[in-house]
Amino acid sequence: MNHPSQKKGSSAPMAQQAPSRLRLAVDSNRPLPPLWLALIPIVFLVAALGLTVIWYHAPPHIALVAATAVAVLAASSIGVSWKTSLAGITSAIAMTLPACLILMLVGMLIGVWILAGIVPTLVIYGLDLLSPRWFLPAACIVSSVVSLATGSSWSTAGTVGVALMGIGSGLGVPPAMTAGAVISGSYFGDKMSPLSDTTNLAAAVAGTDLFVHIKHMLYTTVPSLTAALVIYTILGWSFTSSSAAVGSLHIMTTTVQQTFLIQPILLFVPAAVIAMVIARIPALPALFLGTLLGAVFAWAYQGAGLSQILDALQFGYHGHTGHASVDKLLNRGGLSSMMSTIALIMFALSFGGAMERSGLLARLTSAVLHLVRGRGSLVAATVSSCIGVNIVAGDQYMSIVIPGRMYRPAFKAYHLAPKNLSRCLEDAGTLTSSLIPWNSGGAFMHATLGISPLAYLPYAYLNLINPLLSLTYGFTGLTMTSSDDQEQPPSSDQMSYNSLPPTVSGGETSDRDQNEGHPMDKTFDGPLP
């Protein structure tokens, strides 16, 4: 019996047609470093994170700085200069500087929107419309619709996500569950919207049409969202409106209404921001205008002075209502609240940039690639590499670009259409970024929603189910489309890393010790997350 992925008309199984070892080179003038050397920074990172985060319950910043130093030392032992390592670090950080600017603006937006009564208005109206039993699936659906329209999980979480966290708190829903529902919905739209940066990037890296890519993702994403909604509905039915909960809710709503002027006109501001993003106005200008509108509305409707507005923009909203639960809900936001998160992102990207530029990261990925023996193991290698890069490099862009470039020849070798690769990149790369505390996605969600990724991870069902479904399709062959653009598997030269076309913004791969540039020096010039 022929292999399921075998080309029509061929007589040998595809596993025999494909090269037994898929050659992978990061630099045409330098061989890959030894595997044991590439593992040293990873082992150190895991040990350092375990010691600081798990044992001492400290932030992971120092562990990432120390791991970056170890990665640079490992690179220097194989002749990679400090100048080259520094170039890798700075180019990795530069790639997400726009995202860091978004993070700063979101902090300012949250602070001034609370001061203006915008978030309190959303919370009050949401409490009137939603019941505890149906809140979780409703939160997931609302987040899905907004992110599908905007193509941005970050903008969704920073606007309606913040309001939904407040509504869930008022209804007595555990914050971790609410955050999981918001993130599941937000990343559904981020993954499926043609406006999303990661959706466009995954299609470009894999070499497939954008809408072909989106259509192919329906096979994994829609069942995953359906399963998530079923689970959220089941969880929701465990919440009841007890007399104690009703009393607590009444106190909360009364306190909020006494503190802020609640008016429907305040909903104009978030509606305007969403409309601007849908209209393809870039995220930074849209969020800036939303922040500016919030400041105007804070002055016009809440009577806030310039000093109060500046204080909310810089340090967030700080009120004293006399009720601890209300103060905990509203006292948040501000530019300063995002600085620790931005530092975390930069340190994580420093480690990832040093590992990527030296070839240590490529060595780890190539070791996984050499284990590929068929279609199922190829999909498993791709999914695991995307998750691994998200953990090691700390950025979802790298988790798409690096595995995409490395596994694209292998998918060709097994006559699998490029849309299979692009789907795997999104199933694992895009969706798992928010589950890792030091990843840019996880750090943003933690700072915006106020819940640690480790706390909401068990409830982010879409993000958990989708990679598993992708693996299932890979091993069973379901929806794994064969490619008709190639009659013979590529030669060993075609299987090299450098044979791939540029995937980020059109540069050519070049020697890392020369000053001709590097793929990761380029930034993806599209909508931001």
Side-chain angles (χ1 to χ4, degrees), residues 38 41-43 45-46 49 64 67-68 71 347-356 360-361 364 384-395 398-399 436 438-439:
I42 301 300
V43 173
L45 176 65
V46 172
L49 287 173
L64 289 166
T68 302
F347 291 149
L349 290 173
S350 297
F351 178 75
M355 290 286 291
E356 194 276 335
L360 296 171
L361 187 56
L364 294 171
S384 61
S385 295
C386 290
I387 297 173
V389 173
N390 259 329
I391 294 172
V392 173
D395 182 70
M398 285 188 175
S399 73
I436 300 163
W438 54 89
N439 189 281

PDB file of all heavy atoms in Angstrom, residues 38 41-43 45-46 49 64 67-68 71 347-356 360-361 364 384-395 398-399 436 438-439:
ATOM      1  N   ALA A  38      24.582  23.793  21.899  1.00  0.00           N
ATOM      2  CA  ALA A  38      23.297  24.478  21.765  1.00  0.00           C
ATOM      3  C   ALA A  38      22.387  24.202  22.954  1.00  0.00           C
ATOM      4  O   ALA A  38      21.524  25.026  23.291  1.00  0.00           O
ATOM      5  CB  ALA A  38      22.620  24.062  20.465  1.00  0.00           C
ATOM      6  N   PRO A  41      22.765  26.666  26.853  1.00  0.00           N
ATOM      7  CA  PRO A  41      21.912  27.803  27.254  1.00  0.00           C
ATOM      8  C   PRO A  41      20.477  27.405  27.590  1.00  0.00           C
ATOM      9  O   PRO A  41      19.848  28.012  28.466  1.00  0.00           O
ATOM     10  CB  PRO A  41      21.954  28.721  26.021  1.00  0.00           C
ATOM     11  CG  PRO A  41      23.166  28.318  25.263  1.00  0.00           C
ATOM     12  CD  PRO A  41      23.308  26.846  25.493  1.00  0.00           C
ATOM     13  N   ILE A  42      19.962  26.382  26.896  1.00  0.00           N
ATOM     14  CA  ILE A  42      18.584  25.951  27.161  1.00  0.00           C
ATOM     15  C   ILE A  42      18.472  25.324  28.547  1.00  0.00           C
ATOM     16  O   ILE A  42      17.557  25.641  29.320  1.00  0.00           O
ATOM     17  CB  ILE A  42      18.125  24.952  26.086  1.00  0.00           C
ATOM     18  CG1 ILE A  42      18.189  25.586  24.704  1.00  0.00           C
ATOM     19  CG2 ILE A  42      16.715  24.456  26.382  1.00  0.00           C
ATOM     20  CD1 ILE A  42      17.327  26.798  24.530  1.00  0.00           C
ATOM     21  N   VAL A  43      19.406  24.447  28.876  1.00  0.00           N
ATOM     22  CA  VAL A  43      19.395  23.810  30.192  1.00  0.00           C
ATOM     23  C   VAL A  43      19.557  24.862  31.285  1.00  0.00           C
ATOM     24  O   VAL A  43      18.871  24.829  32.319  1.00  0.00           O
ATOM     25  CB  VAL A  43      20.512  22.750  30.279  1.00  0.00           C
ATOM     26  CG1 VAL A  43      20.629  22.203  31.700  1.00  0.00           C
ATOM     27  CG2 VAL A  43      20.239  21.612  29.305  1.00  0.00           C
ATOM     28  N   LEU A  45      18.711  28.046  31.063  1.00  0.00           N
ATOM     29  CA  LEU A  45      17.481  28.835  31.131  1.00  0.00           C
ATOM     30  C   LEU A  45      16.406  28.118  31.930  1.00  0.00           C
ATOM     31  O   LEU A  45      15.747  28.717  32.792  1.00  0.00           O
ATOM     32  CB  LEU A  45      16.977  29.128  29.717  1.00  0.00           C
ATOM     33  CG  LEU A  45      15.637  29.862  29.623  1.00  0.00           C
ATOM     34  CD1 LEU A  45      15.747  31.266  30.203  1.00  0.00           C
ATOM     35  CD2 LEU A  45      15.160  29.926  28.178  1.00  0.00           C
ATOM     36  N   VAL A  46      16.211  26.829  31.654  1.00  0.00           N
ATOM     37  CA  VAL A  46      15.190  26.061  32.367  1.00  0.00           C
ATOM     38  C   VAL A  46      15.497  26.025  33.867  1.00  0.00           C
ATOM     39  O   VAL A  46      14.608  26.228  34.713  1.00  0.00           O
ATOM     40  CB  VAL A  46      15.090  24.638  31.791  1.00  0.00           C
ATOM     41  CG1 VAL A  46      14.176  23.769  32.651  1.00  0.00           C
ATOM     42  CG2 VAL A  46      14.580  24.671  30.357  1.00  0.00           C
ATOM     43  N   LEU A  49      14.997  29.615  35.376  1.00  0.00           N
ATOM     44  CA  LEU A  49      13.581  29.964  35.501  1.00  0.00           C
ATOM     45  C   LEU A  49      12.923  29.144  36.610  1.00  0.00           C
ATOM     46  O   LEU A  49      12.087  29.660  37.360  1.00  0.00           O
ATOM     47  CB  LEU A  49      12.864  29.729  34.172  1.00  0.00           C
ATOM     48  CG  LEU A  49      13.166  30.718  33.055  1.00  0.00           C
ATOM     49  CD1 LEU A  49      12.523  30.266  31.742  1.00  0.00           C
ATOM     50  CD2 LEU A  49      12.670  32.114  33.414  1.00  0.00           C
ATOM     51  N   LEU A  64      16.472  35.446  32.659  1.00  0.00           N
ATOM     52  CA  LEU A  64      16.632  35.640  31.216  1.00  0.00           C
ATOM     53  C   LEU A  64      17.911  36.399  30.895  1.00  0.00           C
ATOM     54  O   LEU A  64      18.590  36.103  29.900  1.00  0.00           O
ATOM     55  CB  LEU A  64      15.419  36.387  30.663  1.00  0.00           C
ATOM     56  CG  LEU A  64      14.123  35.571  30.610  1.00  0.00           C
ATOM     57  CD1 LEU A  64      12.926  36.480  30.390  1.00  0.00           C
ATOM     58  CD2 LEU A  64      14.197  34.531  29.498  1.00  0.00           C
ATOM     59  N   ALA A  67      20.701  33.901  31.302  1.00  0.00           N
ATOM     60  CA  ALA A  67      20.679  32.929  30.210  1.00  0.00           C
ATOM     61  C   ALA A  67      21.211  33.545  28.917  1.00  0.00           C
ATOM     62  O   ALA A  67      21.873  32.871  28.115  1.00  0.00           O
ATOM     63  CB  ALA A  67      19.266  32.399  30.004  1.00  0.00           C
ATOM     64  N   THR A  68      20.933  34.834  28.713  1.00  0.00           N
ATOM     65  CA  THR A  68      21.470  35.522  27.535  1.00  0.00           C
ATOM     66  C   THR A  68      22.990  35.564  27.590  1.00  0.00           C
ATOM     67  O   THR A  68      23.679  35.350  26.576  1.00  0.00           O
ATOM     68  CB  THR A  68      20.911  36.948  27.449  1.00  0.00           C
ATOM     69  OG1 THR A  68      19.484  36.897  27.390  1.00  0.00           O
ATOM     70  CG2 THR A  68      21.430  37.670  26.212  1.00  0.00           C
ATOM     71  N   ALA A  71      24.263  32.226  26.610  1.00  0.00           N
ATOM     72  CA  ALA A  71      24.137  32.022  25.163  1.00  0.00           C
ATOM     73  C   ALA A  71      25.242  32.743  24.395  1.00  0.00           C
ATOM     74  O   ALA A  71      25.812  32.209  23.433  1.00  0.00           O
ATOM     75  CB  ALA A  71      22.766  32.501  24.683  1.00  0.00           C
ATOM     76  N   PHE A 347      14.334  41.299  27.447  1.00  0.00           N
ATOM     77  CA  PHE A 347      15.287  40.299  27.931  1.00  0.00           C
ATOM     78  C   PHE A 347      15.055  38.948  27.254  1.00  0.00           C
ATOM     79  O   PHE A 347      16.002  38.242  26.907  1.00  0.00           O
ATOM     80  CB  PHE A 347      15.180  40.157  29.451  1.00  0.00           C
ATOM     81  CG  PHE A 347      15.669  41.360  30.211  1.00  0.00           C
ATOM     82  CD1 PHE A 347      15.109  41.701  31.432  1.00  0.00           C
ATOM     83  CD2 PHE A 347      16.675  42.162  29.705  1.00  0.00           C
ATOM     84  CE1 PHE A 347      15.551  42.823  32.133  1.00  0.00           C
ATOM     85  CE2 PHE A 347      17.124  43.286  30.392  1.00  0.00           C
ATOM     86  CZ  PHE A 347      16.563  43.612  31.613  1.00  0.00           C
ATOM     87  N   ALA A 348      13.779  38.582  27.086  1.00  0.00           N
ATOM     88  CA  ALA A 348      13.475  37.318  26.414  1.00  0.00           C
ATOM     89  C   ALA A 348      13.942  37.346  24.964  1.00  0.00           C
ATOM     90  O   ALA A 348      14.503  36.369  24.449  1.00  0.00           O
ATOM     91  CB  ALA A 348      11.968  37.040  26.478  1.00  0.00           C
ATOM     92  N   LEU A 349      13.731  38.469  24.296  1.00  0.00           N
ATOM     93  CA  LEU A 349      14.172  38.597  22.910  1.00  0.00           C
ATOM     94  C   LEU A 349      15.680  38.675  22.804  1.00  0.00           C
ATOM     95  O   LEU A 349      16.257  38.267  21.787  1.00  0.00           O
ATOM     96  CB  LEU A 349      13.530  39.824  22.276  1.00  0.00           C
ATOM     97  CG  LEU A 349      12.021  39.707  22.019  1.00  0.00           C
ATOM     98  CD1 LEU A 349      11.460  41.047  21.559  1.00  0.00           C
ATOM     99  CD2 LEU A 349      11.741  38.644  20.970  1.00  0.00           C
ATOM    100  N   SER A 350      16.350  39.191  23.814  1.00  0.00           N
ATOM    101  CA  SER A 350      17.816  39.198  23.822  1.00  0.00           C
ATOM    102  C   SER A 350      18.345  37.772  23.797  1.00  0.00           C
ATOM    103  O   SER A 350      19.275  37.450  23.048  1.00  0.00           O
ATOM    104  CB  SER A 350      18.338  39.939  25.061  1.00  0.00           C
ATOM    105  OG  SER A 350      17.950  41.296  25.044  1.00  0.00           O
ATOM    106  N   PHE A 351      17.762  36.929  24.613  1.00  0.00           N
ATOM    107  CA  PHE A 351      18.168  35.520  24.624  1.00  0.00           C
ATOM    108  C   PHE A 351      17.874  34.867  23.273  1.00  0.00           C
ATOM    109  O   PHE A 351      18.725  34.187  22.699  1.00  0.00           O
ATOM    110  CB  PHE A 351      17.433  34.777  25.742  1.00  0.00           C
ATOM    111  CG  PHE A 351      17.744  33.312  25.800  1.00  0.00           C
ATOM    112  CD1 PHE A 351      18.954  32.865  26.297  1.00  0.00           C
ATOM    113  CD2 PHE A 351      16.823  32.373  25.346  1.00  0.00           C
ATOM    114  CE1 PHE A 351      19.248  31.514  26.343  1.00  0.00           C
ATOM    115  CE2 PHE A 351      17.105  31.028  25.390  1.00  0.00           C
ATOM    116  CZ  PHE A 351      18.324  30.588  25.888  1.00  0.00           C
ATOM    117  N   GLY A 352      16.656  35.093  22.763  1.00  0.00           N
ATOM    118  CA  GLY A 352      16.300  34.504  21.476  1.00  0.00           C
ATOM    119  C   GLY A 352      17.161  35.024  20.343  1.00  0.00           C
ATOM    120  O   GLY A 352      17.566  34.263  19.456  1.00  0.00           O
ATOM    121  N   GLY A 353      17.475  36.326  20.354  1.00  0.00           N
ATOM    122  CA  GLY A 353      18.310  36.886  19.298  1.00  0.00           C
ATOM    123  C   GLY A 353      19.719  36.343  19.318  1.00  0.00           C
ATOM    124  O   GLY A 353      20.302  36.062  18.261  1.00  0.00           O
ATOM    125  N   ALA A 354      20.294  36.192  20.509  1.00  0.00           N
ATOM    126  CA  ALA A 354      21.643  35.623  20.617  1.00  0.00           C
ATOM    127  C   ALA A 354      21.660  34.168  20.147  1.00  0.00           C
ATOM    128  O   ALA A 354      22.590  33.742  19.451  1.00  0.00           O
ATOM    129  CB  ALA A 354      22.128  35.726  22.063  1.00  0.00           C
ATOM    130  N   MET A 355      20.634  33.426  20.500  1.00  0.00           N
ATOM    131  CA  MET A 355      20.554  32.022  20.078  1.00  0.00           C
ATOM    132  C   MET A 355      20.348  31.908  18.570  1.00  0.00           C
ATOM    133  O   MET A 355      20.952  31.055  17.902  1.00  0.00           O
ATOM    134  CB  MET A 355      19.401  31.330  20.802  1.00  0.00           C
ATOM    135  CG  MET A 355      19.618  31.117  22.285  1.00  0.00           C
ATOM    136  SD  MET A 355      20.801  29.808  22.647  1.00  0.00           S
ATOM    137  CE  MET A 355      19.866  28.355  22.120  1.00  0.00           C
ATOM    138  N   GLU A 356      19.536  32.784  18.011  1.00  0.00           N
ATOM    139  CA  GLU A 356      19.224  32.698  16.584  1.00  0.00           C
ATOM    140  C   GLU A 356      20.405  33.128  15.728  1.00  0.00           C
ATOM    141  O   GLU A 356      20.769  32.454  14.767  1.00  0.00           O
ATOM    142  CB  GLU A 356      18.003  33.570  16.289  1.00  0.00           C
ATOM    143  CG  GLU A 356      17.371  33.311  14.931  1.00  0.00           C
ATOM    144  CD  GLU A 356      18.057  34.061  13.817  1.00  0.00           C
ATOM    145  OE1 GLU A 356      18.686  35.101  14.092  1.00  0.00           O
ATOM    146  OE2 GLU A 356      17.982  33.599  12.663  1.00  0.00           O
ATOM    147  N   LEU A 360      22.750  28.594  17.186  1.00  0.00           N
ATOM    148  CA  LEU A 360      22.427  27.624  18.237  1.00  0.00           C
ATOM    149  C   LEU A 360      20.961  27.202  18.157  1.00  0.00           C
ATOM    150  O   LEU A 360      20.635  26.018  18.350  1.00  0.00           O
ATOM    151  CB  LEU A 360      22.733  28.227  19.608  1.00  0.00           C
ATOM    152  CG  LEU A 360      24.210  28.545  19.892  1.00  0.00           C
ATOM    153  CD1 LEU A 360      24.338  29.332  21.191  1.00  0.00           C
ATOM    154  CD2 LEU A 360      25.033  27.264  19.964  1.00  0.00           C
ATOM    155  N   LEU A 361      20.079  28.148  17.875  1.00  0.00           N
ATOM    156  CA  LEU A 361      18.661  27.824  17.762  1.00  0.00           C
ATOM    157  C   LEU A 361      18.398  26.941  16.548  1.00  0.00           C
ATOM    158  O   LEU A 361      17.610  25.993  16.611  1.00  0.00           O
ATOM    159  CB  LEU A 361      17.850  29.111  17.685  1.00  0.00           C
ATOM    160  CG  LEU A 361      16.331  28.979  17.738  1.00  0.00           C
ATOM    161  CD1 LEU A 361      15.877  28.246  18.992  1.00  0.00           C
ATOM    162  CD2 LEU A 361      15.671  30.349  17.666  1.00  0.00           C
ATOM    163  N   LEU A 364      19.276  23.345  17.301  1.00  0.00           N
ATOM    164  CA  LEU A 364      18.250  22.624  18.056  1.00  0.00           C
ATOM    165  C   LEU A 364      17.109  22.189  17.143  1.00  0.00           C
ATOM    166  O   LEU A 364      16.627  21.051  17.230  1.00  0.00           O
ATOM    167  CB  LEU A 364      17.712  23.522  19.173  1.00  0.00           C
ATOM    168  CG  LEU A 364      18.697  23.895  20.280  1.00  0.00           C
ATOM    169  CD1 LEU A 364      18.102  24.957  21.186  1.00  0.00           C
ATOM    170  CD2 LEU A 364      19.093  22.660  21.085  1.00  0.00           C
ATOM    171  N   SER A 384       6.122  21.176  17.601  1.00  0.00           N
ATOM    172  CA  SER A 384       7.000  21.251  18.773  1.00  0.00           C
ATOM    173  C   SER A 384       8.046  22.343  18.616  1.00  0.00           C
ATOM    174  O   SER A 384       8.402  23.020  19.588  1.00  0.00           O
ATOM    175  CB  SER A 384       7.675  19.900  19.012  1.00  0.00           C
ATOM    176  OG  SER A 384       8.481  19.528  17.907  1.00  0.00           O
ATOM    177  N   SER A 385       8.535  22.554  17.388  1.00  0.00           N
ATOM    178  CA  SER A 385       9.526  23.612  17.158  1.00  0.00           C
ATOM    179  C   SER A 385       8.909  24.993  17.345  1.00  0.00           C
ATOM    180  O   SER A 385       9.548  25.890  17.914  1.00  0.00           O
ATOM    181  CB  SER A 385      10.116  23.491  15.754  1.00  0.00           C
ATOM    182  OG  SER A 385      10.854  22.301  15.614  1.00  0.00           O
ATOM    183  N   CYS A 386       7.680  25.183  16.873  1.00  0.00           N
ATOM    184  CA  CYS A 386       7.001  26.466  17.077  1.00  0.00           C
ATOM    185  C   CYS A 386       6.836  26.768  18.564  1.00  0.00           C
ATOM    186  O   CYS A 386       7.105  27.889  19.025  1.00  0.00           O
ATOM    187  CB  CYS A 386       5.643  26.466  16.387  1.00  0.00           C
ATOM    188  SG  CYS A 386       5.702  26.495  14.590  1.00  0.00           S
ATOM    189  N   ILE A 387       6.412  25.769  19.317  1.00  0.00           N
ATOM    190  CA  ILE A 387       6.249  25.951  20.764  1.00  0.00           C
ATOM    191  C   ILE A 387       7.607  26.197  21.412  1.00  0.00           C
ATOM    192  O   ILE A 387       7.763  27.069  22.268  1.00  0.00           O
ATOM    193  CB  ILE A 387       5.549  24.731  21.388  1.00  0.00           C
ATOM    194  CG1 ILE A 387       4.130  24.590  20.816  1.00  0.00           C
ATOM    195  CG2 ILE A 387       5.502  24.849  22.909  1.00  0.00           C
ATOM    196  CD1 ILE A 387       3.422  23.312  21.235  1.00  0.00           C
ATOM    197  N   GLY A 388       8.619  25.428  20.981  1.00  0.00           N
ATOM    198  CA  GLY A 388       9.956  25.585  21.529  1.00  0.00           C
ATOM    199  C   GLY A 388      10.532  26.962  21.270  1.00  0.00           C
ATOM    200  O   GLY A 388      11.137  27.585  22.160  1.00  0.00           O
ATOM    201  N   VAL A 389      10.358  27.489  20.047  1.00  0.00           N
ATOM    202  CA  VAL A 389      10.856  28.827  19.736  1.00  0.00           C
ATOM    203  C   VAL A 389      10.099  29.878  20.536  1.00  0.00           C
ATOM    204  O   VAL A 389      10.684  30.864  20.988  1.00  0.00           O
ATOM    205  CB  VAL A 389      10.767  29.108  18.219  1.00  0.00           C
ATOM    206  CG1 VAL A 389      11.129  30.558  17.921  1.00  0.00           C
ATOM    207  CG2 VAL A 389      11.675  28.171  17.443  1.00  0.00           C
ATOM    208  N   ASN A 390       8.804  29.676  20.741  1.00  0.00           N
ATOM    209  CA  ASN A 390       8.045  30.594  21.597  1.00  0.00           C
ATOM    210  C   ASN A 390       8.618  30.622  23.011  1.00  0.00           C
ATOM    211  O   ASN A 390       8.678  31.674  23.649  1.00  0.00           O
ATOM    212  CB  ASN A 390       6.571  30.177  21.650  1.00  0.00           C
ATOM    213  CG  ASN A 390       5.690  31.006  20.743  1.00  0.00           C
ATOM    214  OD1 ASN A 390       5.957  32.174  20.501  1.00  0.00           O
ATOM    215  ND2 ASN A 390       4.627  30.412  20.232  1.00  0.00           N
ATOM    216  N   ILE A 391       9.045  29.472  23.500  1.00  0.00           N
ATOM    217  CA  ILE A 391       9.619  29.388  24.843  1.00  0.00           C
ATOM    218  C   ILE A 391      11.016  29.987  24.881  1.00  0.00           C
ATOM    219  O   ILE A 391      11.354  30.773  25.764  1.00  0.00           O
ATOM    220  CB  ILE A 391       9.651  27.923  25.331  1.00  0.00           C
ATOM    221  CG1 ILE A 391       8.225  27.388  25.507  1.00  0.00           C
ATOM    222  CG2 ILE A 391      10.437  27.794  26.631  1.00  0.00           C
ATOM    223  CD1 ILE A 391       8.160  25.902  25.800  1.00  0.00           C
ATOM    224  N   VAL A 392      11.834  29.629  23.896  1.00  0.00           N
ATOM    225  CA  VAL A 392      13.236  30.030  23.907  1.00  0.00           C
ATOM    226  C   VAL A 392      13.420  31.464  23.441  1.00  0.00           C
ATOM    227  O   VAL A 392      14.131  32.256  24.075  1.00  0.00           O
ATOM    228  CB  VAL A 392      14.067  29.067  23.024  1.00  0.00           C
ATOM    229  CG1 VAL A 392      15.492  29.571  22.877  1.00  0.00           C
ATOM    230  CG2 VAL A 392      14.054  27.667  23.609  1.00  0.00           C
ATOM    231  N   ALA A 393      12.789  31.822  22.319  1.00  0.00           N
ATOM    232  CA  ALA A 393      13.005  33.147  21.738  1.00  0.00           C
ATOM    233  C   ALA A 393      12.076  34.202  22.324  1.00  0.00           C
ATOM    234  O   ALA A 393      12.351  35.393  22.225  1.00  0.00           O
ATOM    235  CB  ALA A 393      12.822  33.085  20.222  1.00  0.00           C
ATOM    236  N   GLY A 394      10.950  33.778  22.894  1.00  0.00           N
ATOM    237  CA  GLY A 394      10.060  34.728  23.565  1.00  0.00           C
ATOM    238  C   GLY A 394       9.272  35.624  22.649  1.00  0.00           C
ATOM    239  O   GLY A 394       8.838  36.698  23.066  1.00  0.00           O
ATOM    240  N   ASP A 395       9.042  35.201  21.399  1.00  0.00           N
ATOM    241  CA  ASP A 395       8.319  36.074  20.470  1.00  0.00           C
ATOM    242  C   ASP A 395       7.595  35.227  19.434  1.00  0.00           C
ATOM    243  O   ASP A 395       8.183  34.309  18.849  1.00  0.00           O
ATOM    244  CB  ASP A 395       9.286  37.028  19.774  1.00  0.00           C
ATOM    245  CG  ASP A 395       8.567  37.979  18.843  1.00  0.00           C
ATOM    246  OD1 ASP A 395       7.846  38.867  19.337  1.00  0.00           O
ATOM    247  OD2 ASP A 395       8.707  37.822  17.618  1.00  0.00           O
ATOM    248  N   MET A 398       9.083  35.140  15.734  1.00  0.00           N
ATOM    249  CA  MET A 398      10.167  34.186  15.543  1.00  0.00           C
ATOM    250  C   MET A 398       9.636  32.756  15.471  1.00  0.00           C
ATOM    251  O   MET A 398      10.168  31.923  14.728  1.00  0.00           O
ATOM    252  CB  MET A 398      11.184  34.302  16.676  1.00  0.00           C
ATOM    253  CG  MET A 398      12.085  35.518  16.603  1.00  0.00           C
ATOM    254  SD  MET A 398      13.387  35.437  17.856  1.00  0.00           S
ATOM    255  CE  MET A 398      14.351  36.889  17.432  1.00  0.00           C
ATOM    256  N   SER A 399       8.581  32.468  16.238  1.00  0.00           N
ATOM    257  CA  SER A 399       8.032  31.113  16.245  1.00  0.00           C
ATOM    258  C   SER A 399       7.353  30.765  14.929  1.00  0.00           C
ATOM    259  O   SER A 399       7.075  29.593  14.660  1.00  0.00           O
ATOM    260  CB  SER A 399       7.031  30.944  17.398  1.00  0.00           C
ATOM    261  OG  SER A 399       5.812  31.622  17.129  1.00  0.00           O
ATOM    262  N   ILE A 436       2.901  31.563  27.544  1.00  0.00           N
ATOM    263  CA  ILE A 436       4.252  31.553  28.102  1.00  0.00           C
ATOM    264  C   ILE A 436       4.515  32.896  28.769  1.00  0.00           C
ATOM    265  O   ILE A 436       4.458  33.936  28.109  1.00  0.00           O
ATOM    266  CB  ILE A 436       5.281  31.278  26.991  1.00  0.00           C
ATOM    267  CG1 ILE A 436       4.978  29.914  26.350  1.00  0.00           C
ATOM    268  CG2 ILE A 436       6.705  31.311  27.533  1.00  0.00           C
ATOM    269  CD1 ILE A 436       5.638  29.699  25.019  1.00  0.00           C
ATOM    270  N   TRP A 438       7.027  34.725  29.773  1.00  0.00           N
ATOM    271  CA  TRP A 438       8.047  35.660  29.301  1.00  0.00           C
ATOM    272  C   TRP A 438       7.967  35.915  27.800  1.00  0.00           C
ATOM    273  O   TRP A 438       8.729  36.713  27.265  1.00  0.00           O
ATOM    274  CB  TRP A 438       9.444  35.162  29.674  1.00  0.00           C
ATOM    275  CG  TRP A 438       9.723  33.772  29.214  1.00  0.00           C
ATOM    276  CD1 TRP A 438      10.251  33.386  28.009  1.00  0.00           C
ATOM    277  CD2 TRP A 438       9.490  32.576  29.947  1.00  0.00           C
ATOM    278  NE1 TRP A 438      10.344  32.021  27.941  1.00  0.00           N
ATOM    279  CE2 TRP A 438       9.898  31.484  29.129  1.00  0.00           C
ATOM    280  CE3 TRP A 438       8.985  32.289  31.220  1.00  0.00           C
ATOM    281  CZ2 TRP A 438       9.812  30.159  29.541  1.00  0.00           C
ATOM    282  CZ3 TRP A 438       8.911  30.967  31.621  1.00  0.00           C
ATOM    283  CH2 TRP A 438       9.310  29.919  30.797  1.00  0.00           C
ATOM    284  N   ASN A 439       7.076  35.247  27.103  1.00  0.00           N
ATOM    285  CA  ASN A 439       6.860  35.551  25.700  1.00  0.00           C
ATOM    286  C   ASN A 439       6.163  36.908  25.582  1.00  0.00           C
ATOM    287  O   ASN A 439       5.421  37.316  26.481  1.00  0.00           O
ATOM    288  CB  ASN A 439       6.002  34.460  25.062  1.00  0.00           C
ATOM    289  CG  ASN A 439       5.904  34.584  23.558  1.00  0.00           C
ATOM    290  OD1 ASN A 439       5.144  35.395  23.043  1.00  0.00           O
ATOM    291  ND2 ASN A 439       6.661  33.769  22.844  1.00  0.00           N
TER     292      ASN A 439
END
